[in-house]
Amino acid sequence: MSGTADLPRPDQITGPWLRAAAGAGLLGDDQQVRPTIFTEMTAMANATGAINLGQGFPDDPGPQQVLDAARQAISDGLNQYPPLAGIPALRTAIAAHQQRFYGLDVDPDTEVQVTMGATEAMAATLLALVEPGDEVITIDPFYDAYAAIIGLTGGVQKYAPLTLDQDADGRPAGFSLDLDALRAAFTDRTRAIIVNTPHNPTGAMLNRDELTAILDAARAHGAYVITDEVYEHLAFSGAHLPMATLPGARGTVITISSAGKTFSVTGWKIGWITATPELITAIAAVKQYLTFAGGGPFQAGVAAGLGLPDDVLDAHRASLRVRRDLLSEGLRAAGFDVIEAAAGYFTVADAAPLGYQDGAALCREMPGRIGVAAVPVSAFTAAGGQNATRMASLVRFAHCKSTASIIEAADRLQKLH
């Protein structure tokens, strides 16, 4: 009987997992896999009893109508495999949602694919379309899953940086896309660009000129635009602009979104893709061998949610904005320079005024010192890239927690003085 001594060490197991881990910045020189920054900070929060403003899961229970619809679906027996494409009620609701909010005509039978969250949607799309050696552009900073999935495909990640804008006093004031660098990132090997707006981690929203420049460059190089719009209903400063609404987008833009952030049900993992029929067919051919389908009762709950009146979404957005403002006020009082989030779950603050040029060092210090956990923006940037240096002192705090948690965290932050 063989023992554990006969088993290979992690550095002896080769395969695509190495590219995934390396792409996400988790593979050390010794070939050992490090935990993600989210896992590390959550573990520190749990060990110290810190308020976890690092991981982006909400304290809200979600709209009662959405929860009740899922419970009813369980009682009604919707507990077996749903169809690969998603239950008809949800596909119809997604198509109606796209028409209601954006004026887009989407065929629920041929242009919608339901997925197990937006991350599976991204994985299925990239695995379906990207060949080894193809280039995929991401906006830097970027959600780490993009890099891992690009690594799995054998593709090459390229970067279109956001720049950190400053006000008249030299303080950080927001983020904008470097259009010259964006255009330079495209080559004849570019297969796709991933566009996350509203953006994680910065809370920025790309404007029409920026989105048009992306679409023009993609079309000029025969590349796809894959959008991640999971924060679409959490915009505080103006309305979200989907790239699919731009002239010439059809056949180039593949839209991904999900219910987790909109309805505070991140554990349900119900996402979707809308695109032209031929693209949905290609993506579904891969998706069916990832999870095939799941979450039937949750799909029914999301279908009910997408039909809720505007005032439900408005109230959720208003509540989140109040909490954003509470956290921003506390951060400023603690000595941070705060970049007001235009949308989403997160507020970015600059720790440089507190004497911290390394936001990662501050994040590892805060749980034990003051009882607050956060994550450094540098964890979302390309290792060794310009943004890793430019944004080294920036820290991302989640404002999607309860008002009581935000107030307590703001009070604890004052101990940084």
Side-chain angles (χ1 to χ4, degrees), residues 12-21 151-152:
Q12 295 175 319
I13 302 174
T14 60
W17 76 272
L18 287 166
R19 297 196 303 269
L152 284 176

Side-chain angles (χ1 to χ4, degrees), residues 41 44-45 48-50 362-374:
M41 290 300 106
M44 292 183 71
T48 60
L362 176 60
C363 287
R364 291 185 171 98
E365 177 183 322
M366 284 196 301
R369 179 181 167 193
I370 66 167
V372 176

